């Protein structure tokens, strides 16, 4: 297996950040689940859905950053591989949310670089804390993301099947990521860490809806 130096890894991190933040730079590996779905929305509904999809898009930017941060500091090679694999699956989510935002004639959150930076740091700290905590952090993140996606699925207008199909597939993937992390040895995080993670995610959710 090829050995990467610290400088290689820093350049790789920068490249990953740019790819996650520049619209159109990430392409999905799987077919968009919305491809055959219909959506008929009023202007008011479309604006609300665009807000929701902007939040989901920011969530996926955060997911990319968390995985990239962890991959940088995780100690065991197999954990690093798990993180990189999950990050690739998150790229599909990012690309699908971006495509839906475009269809709704809207744009991603202007604060995504900030969310990326904060999440990258959190991921790097989790990675450095040791593999069982790192994997526990993934499991907790995915649990919180899944809860949030379920809330959004309830809020979507009934006739927006395009957004719905995307969120349903994302939720399925997030739960799979959580299970994989737990099976690989992830442990429960202290309550205080869980609460701080939920505070950051609420902040992203509230602000990205608008900007
Ligand atoms: Fe995701
Ligand atoms: Fe995930």
């Amino acid at each position: 297996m090829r050995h990467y130096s610290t400088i290689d890894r820093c350049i790789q991190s920068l490249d990953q950040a740019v790819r996650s933040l520049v619209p159109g730079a990430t392409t999905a590996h799987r077919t968009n689940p919305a491809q055959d779905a219909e959506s008929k929305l009023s202007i008011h509904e479309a604006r609300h859905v665009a807000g929701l999809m902007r939040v989901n898009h920011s969530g996926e930017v955060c997911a990319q950053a968390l995985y990239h941060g962890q991959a940088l500091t995780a100690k065991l090679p197999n954990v690093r591989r798990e993180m990189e694999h999950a990050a690739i699956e998150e790229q599909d989510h990012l690309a699908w949310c971006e495509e839906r935002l475009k269809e709704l004639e809207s744009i991603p959150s202007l604060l995504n670089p900030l969310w990326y930076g904060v999440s990258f740091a959190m991921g790097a700290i989790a990675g450095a804390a040791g593999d069982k905590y790192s994997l526990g952090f993934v499991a907790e993140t995915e649990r919180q993301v899944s809860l949030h996606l379920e809330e959004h699925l309830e809020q979507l207008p009934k006739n927006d099947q395009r957004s719905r199909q995307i969120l349903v597939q994302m939720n399925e993937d997030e739960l799979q990521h959580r299970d994989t992390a737990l099976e690989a040895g992830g442990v429960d995080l202290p309550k205080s860490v869980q609460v701080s993670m939920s505070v950051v995610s609420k902040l992203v959710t509230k602000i990205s809806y608008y900007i």
Side-chain angles (χ1 to χ4, degrees):
M1 197 201 294
R2 191 168 164 192
H3 178 76
Y4 292 102
S5 69
T6 308
I7 294 177
D8 288 335
R9 291 200 163 273
C10 289
I11 293 170
Q12 193 185 24
S13 296
L14 200 67
D15 177 64
Q16 287 170 329
V18 172
R19 283 173 198 276
S20 306
L21 292 168
V22 174
T26 299
T27 43
H29 301 81
R30 289 174 290 174
T31 308
N32 189 325
Q35 73 164 351
D36 297 321
E38 296 272 332
S39 173
K40 273 203 181 114
L41 299 172
S42 67
I43 292 174
H44 176 75
E45 285 174 326
R47 205 173 293 154
H48 176 54
V49 174
L52 298 181
M53 293 311 284
R54 187 162 36 253
V55 169
N56 292 319
H57 181 268
S58 287
E60 293 304 324
V61 166
C62 292
Q64 298 271 321
L66 288 171
Y67 284 118
H68 294 155
Q70 275 182 318
L72 188 72
T73 55
K75 288 174 190 69
L76 287 176
N78 61 331
V79 172
R80 191 175 289 153
R81 259 199 310 278
E82 293 273 7
M83 303 298 102
E84 282 168 359
H85 177 72
I88 287 171
E89 291 202 346
E90 303 293 1
Q91 284 174 13
D92 290 348
H93 301 173
L94 188 71
W96 297 337
C97 288
E98 202 175 293
E99 281 169 31
R100 188 66 187 125
L101 267 178
K102 220 186 220 170
E103 286 173 7
L104 293 160
E105 297 179 357
S106 193
I107 56 166
S109 169
L110 299 173
L111 295 177
N112 280 345
L114 173 67
W115 307 141
Y116 189 96
V118 172
S119 305
F120 186 89
M122 286 172 75
I125 292 167
D131 294 322
K132 60 182 185 174
Y133 292 108
S134 185
L135 289 164
F137 184 73
V138 172
E140 178 57 23
T141 302
E142 300 290 3
R143 187 187 70 83
Q144 291 192 11
V145 171
S146 169
L147 284 177
H148 156 84
L149 285 172
E150 277 163 17
E151 262 175 45
H152 274 197
L153 279 165
E154 275 178 29
Q155 282 192 46
L156 277 181
K158 292 260 178 300
N159 47 358
D160 185 4
Q161 286 302 319
R162 292 190 71 77
S163 305
R164 184 169 301 278
Q165 294 305 323
I166 292 173
L167 297 195
V168 164
Q169 183 60 55
M170 278 166 57
N171 194 25
E172 211 171 279
D173 293 344
E174 312 305 15
L175 290 171
Q176 182 60 54
H177 295 162
R178 183 202 60 181
D179 291 349
T180 308
L182 290 175
E183 281 159 20
V187 294
D188 279 346
L189 298 179
K191 204 81 201 148
S192 57
V193 179
Q194 290 184 18
V195 172
S196 343
M197 287 167 72
S198 145
V199 169
V200 172
S201 107
K202 286 222 163 60
L203 209 65
V204 175
T205 310
K206 292 267 178 278
I207 301 176
S208 287
Y209 182 86
Y210 298 102
I211 43 170

